[in-house]
Amino acid sequence: MSPLSAARAALRVYAAGAAVILAQLLRRCRGGFLEPGFPRQPDRVAIVTGGTDGIGYSTAKHLARLGMHVIIVEFLYCDLASMMSIRQFVQKFKMKKIPLHVLINNAGVMMVPQRKTRDGFEEHFGLNYLGHFLLTNLLLDMLRESGSPGHSARVVTVSSATHYVAELNMDDLQSSACYSAHAAYAQSKLALVLFTYHLQRLLAAEGSHVTANVVDPGVVNTDLYRHVFWGTRLVKKLFSWLLFKTPDEGAWTSIYAAVTPELEGVGGRYLYNEKETKSLHVTYNQKLQQQLWSKSCDMTGVRDVTL
């Protein structure tokens, strides 16, 4: 990616964020974000990645209040930037001999300087996407065993509006040609949408009682913004109370996807503000979904069941 292309990527990402912020401001002026009512969830178990801070913490907290047994990834240690750590986490979790009804793929980094995971992957792609791809695949057998007719197990993956301005470069998923933190972040969020849709097609084809949906939390006041443009940090510091969602407000769509009866047995949806909406048109391209899935299997050592 040339410097000019990197600048364009940054402008597209900030434009997408500005559009979301404007929509949130208008909604707040019209009454704000009202907390939905969620049904109790006794005897159900959830894993939430990145559950010690921000949206993940709010998600885990609310699920626990609904009666769920919540495993927070970090308390039961798992480094999503390490394939070995993910496999060790899954092994330890399976030793607990408890079911798994909900997996919320929430953890992530945003617009970090160019650096690599322990396995040599670009950090946005490796942690935000590949880490969750591997974790989900390793836990699918438990989700299948825990789901039942009328009580499906659920995979909820957190993407972002930046996926609308992203491009998936299948020839350079590691952003090695010319690094742009903005393009790399947006690409990781686009990959998560493609992954979710393909996962749902596989689950539906096998007739399992597991669903997969993807959520967009909006622009939320968390610590993820420490690497963004200084002007954005200044706006956040001064006006986050008005323009940004709180972590609790940002978590509501994840919780909705995890527990609402309206989504029982329903997958392959992109959800924003607790409602279904359309994702970027290219995310519905089944050939691209398949290509990304196969390449991800190669990168993580997961058997590609679609071949």
Side-chain angles (χ1 to χ4, degrees):
M1 180 179 290
S2 68
L4 180 58
S5 296
R8 287 173 178 166
L11 288 174
R12 288 196 300 267
V13 166
Y14 287 120
V20 174
I21 285 174
L22 178 59
Q24 291 180 178
L25 174 61
L26 292 174
R27 178 159 175 171
R28 204 170 291 284
C29 291
R30 294 170 181 166
F33 299 90
L34 303 178
E35 181 174 1
F38 298 118
R40 296 284 298 171
Q41 300 291 307
D43 304 318
R44 285 174 72 82
V45 179
I47 288 177
V48 181
T49 68
T52 59
D53 194 18
I55 299 171
Y57 174 74
S58 291
T59 301
K61 176 181 67 176
H62 280 81
L63 290 178
R65 287 177 179 172
L66 293 174
M68 272 198 181
H69 176 184
V70 182
I71 305 294
I72 296 179
V73 173
E74 282 183 22
F75 285 171
L76 184 57
Y77 182 73
C78 177
D79 180 0
L80 286 165
S82 165
M83 301 292 164
M84 180 180 293
S85 179
I86 293 168
R87 293 181 184 278
Q88 290 173 343
F89 165 81
V90 171
Q91 185 178 31
K92 290 176 183 177
F93 179 75
K94 289 184 175 181
M95 290 174 62
K96 290 180 172 290
K97 303 296 183 182
I98 57 176
L100 176 62
H101 303 98
V102 175
L103 170 62
I104 299 184
N105 294 320
N106 166 84
V109 295
M110 186 169 75
M111 300 175 200
V112 297
Q114 187 172 18
R115 57 196 189 197
K116 294 183 178 181
T117 67
R118 295 186 182 184
D119 301 287
F121 300 114
E122 186 278 316
E123 189 166 359
H124 292 99
F125 190 77
L127 192 157
N128 294 1
Y129 170 66
L130 280 181
H132 286 119
F133 176 90
L134 177 60
L135 179 66
T136 302
N137 273 279
L138 293 179
L139 291 171
L140 273 182
D141 57 343
M142 296 192 70
L143 289 161
R144 291 187 183 102
E145 292 172 4
S146 303
S148 61
H151 296 86
S152 297
R154 305 185 184 193
V155 178
V156 179
T157 298
V158 180
S159 181
S160 120
T162 58
H163 94 273
Y164 287 110
V165 296
E167 296 178 355
L168 191 73
N169 187 347
M170 292 299 297
D171 296 322
D172 187 20
L173 291 172
Q174 306 303 315
S175 305
S176 56
C178 182
Y179 183 73
S180 161
H182 303 84
Y185 173 72
Q187 178 181 247
S188 72
K189 293 301 182 179
L190 173 58
L192 287 169
V193 181
L194 289 158
F195 154 69
T196 299
Y197 291 169
H198 191 68
L199 174 61
Q200 175 58 35
R201 287 202 299 120
L202 295 178
L203 293 169
E206 69 184 26
S208 66
H209 300 293
V210 183
T211 62
N213 288 297
V214 61
V215 301
D216 178 349
V219 176
V220 184
N221 185 13
T222 70
D223 290 336
L224 279 178
Y225 294 85
R226 55 185 173 272
H227 295 293
V228 301
F229 174 60
W230 68 267
T232 303
R233 295 199 304 274
L234 180 61
V235 169
K236 176 178 176 292
K237 183 176 181 179
L238 296 175
F239 300 109
S240 60
W241 62 274
L242 178 64
L243 302 177
F244 287 44
K245 286 184 179 181
T246 66
D248 283 353
E249 291 168 343
W252 289 342
T253 304
S254 293
I255 301 165
Y256 172 83
V259 306
T260 182
E262 296 174 15
L263 288 176
E264 174 53 45
V266 177
R269 303 295 194 269
Y270 186 91
L271 304 167
Y272 175 60
N273 287 337
E274 301 86 61
K275 294 181 180 179
E276 180 184 354
T277 189
K278 289 290 184 182
S279 54
L280 184 66
H281 65 90
V282 75
T283 60
Y284 300 100
N285 184 323
Q286 294 185 7
K287 182 178 179 181
L288 184 60
Q289 294 171 12
Q290 173 67 67
Q291 290 174 338
L292 177 62
W293 183 278
S294 295
K295 184 160 285 192
S296 302
C297 287
D298 289 341
M299 292 175 169
T300 58
V302 169
R303 186 171 69 89
D304 189 350
V305 298
T306 61
L307 293 179

PDB file of all heavy atoms in Angstrom, residues 51-73:
ATOM      1  N   GLY A  51     -12.866  -9.780  28.426  1.00  0.00           N
ATOM      2  CA  GLY A  51     -13.921  -9.469  29.371  1.00  0.00           C
ATOM      3  C   GLY A  51     -13.506  -8.708  30.609  1.00  0.00           C
ATOM      4  O   GLY A  51     -14.303  -8.571  31.538  1.00  0.00           O
ATOM      5  N   THR A  52     -12.290  -8.196  30.654  1.00  0.00           N
ATOM      6  CA  THR A  52     -11.837  -7.471  31.841  1.00  0.00           C
ATOM      7  C   THR A  52     -11.907  -5.964  31.682  1.00  0.00           C
ATOM      8  O   THR A  52     -11.599  -5.230  32.621  1.00  0.00           O
ATOM      9  CB  THR A  52     -10.384  -7.858  32.185  1.00  0.00           C
ATOM     10  OG1 THR A  52      -9.537  -7.543  31.073  1.00  0.00           O
ATOM     11  CG2 THR A  52     -10.272  -9.341  32.504  1.00  0.00           C
ATOM     12  N   ASP A  53     -12.336  -5.485  30.507  1.00  0.00           N
ATOM     13  CA  ASP A  53     -12.320  -4.038  30.273  1.00  0.00           C
ATOM     14  C   ASP A  53     -13.338  -3.689  29.189  1.00  0.00           C
ATOM     15  O   ASP A  53     -13.710  -4.527  28.364  1.00  0.00           O
ATOM     16  CB  ASP A  53     -10.917  -3.591  29.839  1.00  0.00           C
ATOM     17  CG  ASP A  53     -10.747  -2.077  29.899  1.00  0.00           C
ATOM     18  OD1 ASP A  53     -11.555  -1.421  30.585  1.00  0.00           O
ATOM     19  OD2 ASP A  53      -9.818  -1.551  29.261  1.00  0.00           O
ATOM     20  N   GLY A  54     -13.768  -2.450  29.192  1.00  0.00           N
ATOM     21  CA  GLY A  54     -14.564  -1.914  28.097  1.00  0.00           C
ATOM     22  C   GLY A  54     -15.860  -2.665  27.835  1.00  0.00           C
ATOM     23  O   GLY A  54     -16.587  -3.071  28.752  1.00  0.00           O
ATOM     24  N   ILE A  55     -16.155  -2.873  26.546  1.00  0.00           N
ATOM     25  CA  ILE A  55     -17.383  -3.545  26.137  1.00  0.00           C
ATOM     26  C   ILE A  55     -17.424  -4.968  26.681  1.00  0.00           C
ATOM     27  O   ILE A  55     -18.472  -5.453  27.114  1.00  0.00           O
ATOM     28  CB  ILE A  55     -17.499  -3.562  24.603  1.00  0.00           C
ATOM     29  CG1 ILE A  55     -17.555  -2.136  24.055  1.00  0.00           C
ATOM     30  CG2 ILE A  55     -18.738  -4.330  24.155  1.00  0.00           C
ATOM     31  CD1 ILE A  55     -17.459  -2.062  22.532  1.00  0.00           C
ATOM     32  N   GLY A  56     -16.286  -5.647  26.654  1.00  0.00           N
ATOM     33  CA  GLY A  56     -16.235  -7.026  27.134  1.00  0.00           C
ATOM     34  C   GLY A  56     -16.598  -7.140  28.600  1.00  0.00           C
ATOM     35  O   GLY A  56     -17.341  -8.049  29.000  1.00  0.00           O
ATOM     36  N   TYR A  57     -16.097  -6.219  29.426  1.00  0.00           N
ATOM     37  CA  TYR A  57     -16.421  -6.241  30.849  1.00  0.00           C
ATOM     38  C   TYR A  57     -17.913  -5.997  31.066  1.00  0.00           C
ATOM     39  O   TYR A  57     -18.562  -6.697  31.857  1.00  0.00           O
ATOM     40  CB  TYR A  57     -15.606  -5.183  31.595  1.00  0.00           C
ATOM     41  CG  TYR A  57     -15.998  -5.047  33.055  1.00  0.00           C
ATOM     42  CD1 TYR A  57     -15.632  -6.012  33.983  1.00  0.00           C
ATOM     43  CD2 TYR A  57     -16.756  -3.963  33.485  1.00  0.00           C
ATOM     44  CE1 TYR A  57     -16.003  -5.895  35.312  1.00  0.00           C
ATOM     45  CE2 TYR A  57     -17.138  -3.840  34.807  1.00  0.00           C
ATOM     46  CZ  TYR A  57     -16.764  -4.810  35.719  1.00  0.00           C
ATOM     47  OH  TYR A  57     -17.144  -4.698  37.031  1.00  0.00           O
ATOM     48  N   SER A  58     -18.470  -5.019  30.352  1.00  0.00           N
ATOM     49  CA  SER A  58     -19.894  -4.725  30.484  1.00  0.00           C
ATOM     50  C   SER A  58     -20.737  -5.908  30.024  1.00  0.00           C
ATOM     51  O   SER A  58     -21.759  -6.234  30.636  1.00  0.00           O
ATOM     52  CB  SER A  58     -20.262  -3.474  29.674  1.00  0.00           C
ATOM     53  OG  SER A  58     -19.703  -2.313  30.259  1.00  0.00           O
ATOM     54  N   THR A  59     -20.301  -6.567  28.949  1.00  0.00           N
ATOM     55  CA  THR A  59     -21.014  -7.748  28.464  1.00  0.00           C
ATOM     56  C   THR A  59     -21.009  -8.852  29.502  1.00  0.00           C
ATOM     57  O   THR A  59     -22.050  -9.432  29.830  1.00  0.00           O
ATOM     58  CB  THR A  59     -20.377  -8.251  27.158  1.00  0.00           C
ATOM     59  OG1 THR A  59     -20.416  -7.220  26.161  1.00  0.00           O
ATOM     60  CG2 THR A  59     -21.110  -9.474  26.637  1.00  0.00           C
ATOM     61  N   ALA A  60     -19.835  -9.154  30.026  1.00  0.00           N
ATOM     62  CA  ALA A  60     -19.710 -10.217  31.033  1.00  0.00           C
ATOM     63  C   ALA A  60     -20.514  -9.889  32.287  1.00  0.00           C
ATOM     64  O   ALA A  60     -21.187 -10.757  32.861  1.00  0.00           O
ATOM     65  CB  ALA A  60     -18.238 -10.415  31.378  1.00  0.00           C
ATOM     66  N   LYS A  61     -20.463  -8.641  32.706  1.00  0.00           N
ATOM     67  CA  LYS A  61     -21.184  -8.209  33.913  1.00  0.00           C
ATOM     68  C   LYS A  61     -22.692  -8.399  33.748  1.00  0.00           C
ATOM     69  O   LYS A  61     -23.360  -8.934  34.644  1.00  0.00           O
ATOM     70  CB  LYS A  61     -20.854  -6.739  34.183  1.00  0.00           C
ATOM     71  CG  LYS A  61     -21.595  -6.114  35.340  1.00  0.00           C
ATOM     72  CD  LYS A  61     -21.189  -4.654  35.489  1.00  0.00           C
ATOM     73  CE  LYS A  61     -21.660  -3.815  34.283  1.00  0.00           C
ATOM     74  NZ  LYS A  61     -21.350  -2.372  34.452  1.00  0.00           N
ATOM     75  N   HIS A  62     -23.225  -7.986  32.612  1.00  0.00           N
ATOM     76  CA  HIS A  62     -24.668  -8.097  32.398  1.00  0.00           C
ATOM     77  C   HIS A  62     -25.107  -9.557  32.235  1.00  0.00           C
ATOM     78  O   HIS A  62     -26.172  -9.940  32.719  1.00  0.00           O
ATOM     79  CB  HIS A  62     -25.077  -7.279  31.173  1.00  0.00           C
ATOM     80  CG  HIS A  62     -25.210  -5.811  31.456  1.00  0.00           C
ATOM     81  ND1 HIS A  62     -24.126  -4.967  31.501  1.00  0.00           N
ATOM     82  CD2 HIS A  62     -26.291  -5.042  31.734  1.00  0.00           C
ATOM     83  CE1 HIS A  62     -24.526  -3.734  31.774  1.00  0.00           C
ATOM     84  NE2 HIS A  62     -25.839  -3.761  31.924  1.00  0.00           N
ATOM     85  N   LEU A  63     -24.297 -10.351  31.552  1.00  0.00           N
ATOM     86  CA  LEU A  63     -24.639 -11.770  31.415  1.00  0.00           C
ATOM     87  C   LEU A  63     -24.663 -12.457  32.779  1.00  0.00           C
ATOM     88  O   LEU A  63     -25.532 -13.290  33.058  1.00  0.00           O
ATOM     89  CB  LEU A  63     -23.651 -12.470  30.482  1.00  0.00           C
ATOM     90  CG  LEU A  63     -23.726 -12.094  29.003  1.00  0.00           C
ATOM     91  CD1 LEU A  63     -22.645 -12.827  28.213  1.00  0.00           C
ATOM     92  CD2 LEU A  63     -25.108 -12.386  28.407  1.00  0.00           C
ATOM     93  N   ALA A  64     -23.705 -12.103  33.632  1.00  0.00           N
ATOM     94  CA  ALA A  64     -23.670 -12.678  34.976  1.00  0.00           C
ATOM     95  C   ALA A  64     -24.913 -12.272  35.772  1.00  0.00           C
ATOM     96  O   ALA A  64     -25.483 -13.082  36.522  1.00  0.00           O
ATOM     97  CB  ALA A  64     -22.401 -12.246  35.704  1.00  0.00           C
ATOM     98  N   ARG A  65     -25.351 -11.044  35.613  1.00  0.00           N
ATOM     99  CA  ARG A  65     -26.556 -10.579  36.312  1.00  0.00           C
ATOM    100  C   ARG A  65     -27.799 -11.316  35.840  1.00  0.00           C
ATOM    101  O   ARG A  65     -28.778 -11.434  36.588  1.00  0.00           O
ATOM    102  CB  ARG A  65     -26.733  -9.079  36.087  1.00  0.00           C
ATOM    103  CG  ARG A  65     -25.742  -8.214  36.858  1.00  0.00           C
ATOM    104  CD  ARG A  65     -25.911  -6.743  36.533  1.00  0.00           C
ATOM    105  NE  ARG A  65     -24.978  -5.919  37.292  1.00  0.00           N
ATOM    106  CZ  ARG A  65     -24.814  -4.619  37.092  1.00  0.00           C
ATOM    107  NH1 ARG A  65     -25.522  -3.991  36.150  1.00  0.00           N
ATOM    108  NH2 ARG A  65     -23.955  -3.934  37.823  1.00  0.00           N
ATOM    109  N   LEU A  66     -27.741 -11.817  34.594  1.00  0.00           N
ATOM    110  CA  LEU A  66     -28.867 -12.587  34.063  1.00  0.00           C
ATOM    111  C   LEU A  66     -28.836 -14.041  34.519  1.00  0.00           C
ATOM    112  O   LEU A  66     -29.724 -14.816  34.177  1.00  0.00           O
ATOM    113  CB  LEU A  66     -28.863 -12.529  32.532  1.00  0.00           C
ATOM    114  CG  LEU A  66     -29.142 -11.160  31.909  1.00  0.00           C
ATOM    115  CD1 LEU A  66     -28.968 -11.219  30.395  1.00  0.00           C
ATOM    116  CD2 LEU A  66     -30.542 -10.661  32.257  1.00  0.00           C
ATOM    117  N   GLY A  67     -27.815 -14.392  35.288  1.00  0.00           N
ATOM    118  CA  GLY A  67     -27.728 -15.733  35.837  1.00  0.00           C
ATOM    119  C   GLY A  67     -26.774 -16.655  35.123  1.00  0.00           C
ATOM    120  O   GLY A  67     -26.664 -17.841  35.476  1.00  0.00           O
ATOM    121  N   MET A  68     -26.053 -16.155  34.124  1.00  0.00           N
ATOM    122  CA  MET A  68     -25.093 -16.986  33.407  1.00  0.00           C
ATOM    123  C   MET A  68     -23.824 -17.201  34.224  1.00  0.00           C
ATOM    124  O   MET A  68     -23.408 -16.338  34.999  1.00  0.00           O
ATOM    125  CB  MET A  68     -24.710 -16.346  32.072  1.00  0.00           C
ATOM    126  CG  MET A  68     -25.614 -16.693  30.920  1.00  0.00           C
ATOM    127  SD  MET A  68     -24.799 -16.327  29.345  1.00  0.00           S
ATOM    128  CE  MET A  68     -26.086 -16.795  28.195  1.00  0.00           C
ATOM    129  N   HIS A  69     -23.219 -18.358  34.008  1.00  0.00           N
ATOM    130  CA  HIS A  69     -21.865 -18.627  34.499  1.00  0.00           C
ATOM    131  C   HIS A  69     -20.922 -18.119  33.414  1.00  0.00           C
ATOM    132  O   HIS A  69     -20.883 -18.686  32.323  1.00  0.00           O
ATOM    133  CB  HIS A  69     -21.695 -20.126  34.732  1.00  0.00           C
ATOM    134  CG  HIS A  69     -20.314 -20.518  35.148  1.00  0.00           C
ATOM    135  ND1 HIS A  69     -19.930 -21.826  35.329  1.00  0.00           N
ATOM    136  CD2 HIS A  69     -19.203 -19.778  35.438  1.00  0.00           C
ATOM    137  CE1 HIS A  69     -18.656 -21.871  35.686  1.00  0.00           C
ATOM    138  NE2 HIS A  69     -18.200 -20.644  35.749  1.00  0.00           N
ATOM    139  N   VAL A  70     -20.193 -17.045  33.704  1.00  0.00           N
ATOM    140  CA  VAL A  70     -19.381 -16.374  32.690  1.00  0.00           C
ATOM    141  C   VAL A  70     -17.904 -16.648  32.922  1.00  0.00           C
ATOM    142  O   VAL A  70     -17.365 -16.382  34.003  1.00  0.00           O
ATOM    143  CB  VAL A  70     -19.632 -14.855  32.674  1.00  0.00           C
ATOM    144  CG1 VAL A  70     -18.817 -14.188  31.569  1.00  0.00           C
ATOM    145  CG2 VAL A  70     -21.123 -14.558  32.481  1.00  0.00           C
ATOM    146  N   ILE A  71     -17.259 -17.167  31.883  1.00  0.00           N
ATOM    147  CA  ILE A  71     -15.802 -17.351  31.885  1.00  0.00           C
ATOM    148  C   ILE A  71     -15.201 -16.169  31.143  1.00  0.00           C
ATOM    149  O   ILE A  71     -15.484 -15.956  29.963  1.00  0.00           O
ATOM    150  CB  ILE A  71     -15.393 -18.658  31.174  1.00  0.00           C
ATOM    151  CG1 ILE A  71     -16.107 -19.863  31.796  1.00  0.00           C
ATOM    152  CG2 ILE A  71     -13.877 -18.832  31.205  1.00  0.00           C
ATOM    153  CD1 ILE A  71     -15.710 -20.160  33.216  1.00  0.00           C
ATOM    154  N   ILE A  72     -14.396 -15.388  31.846  1.00  0.00           N
ATOM    155  CA  ILE A  72     -13.755 -14.229  31.218  1.00  0.00           C
ATOM    156  C   ILE A  72     -12.366 -14.638  30.745  1.00  0.00           C
ATOM    157  O   ILE A  72     -11.535 -15.068  31.538  1.00  0.00           O
ATOM    158  CB  ILE A  72     -13.664 -13.048  32.201  1.00  0.00           C
ATOM    159  CG1 ILE A  72     -15.064 -12.569  32.585  1.00  0.00           C
ATOM    160  CG2 ILE A  72     -12.869 -11.903  31.584  1.00  0.00           C
ATOM    161  CD1 ILE A  72     -15.063 -11.426  33.570  1.00  0.00           C
ATOM    162  N   VAL A  73     -12.149 -14.522  29.456  1.00  0.00           N
ATOM    163  CA  VAL A  73     -10.837 -14.857  28.898  1.00  0.00           C
ATOM    164  C   VAL A  73      -9.865 -13.778  29.314  1.00  0.00           C
ATOM    165  O   VAL A  73      -9.971 -12.633  28.910  1.00  0.00           O
ATOM    166  CB  VAL A  73     -10.909 -14.989  27.373  1.00  0.00           C
ATOM    167  CG1 VAL A  73      -9.508 -15.165  26.789  1.00  0.00           C
ATOM    168  CG2 VAL A  73     -11.795 -16.144  26.985  1.00  0.00           C
TER     169      VAL A  73
END
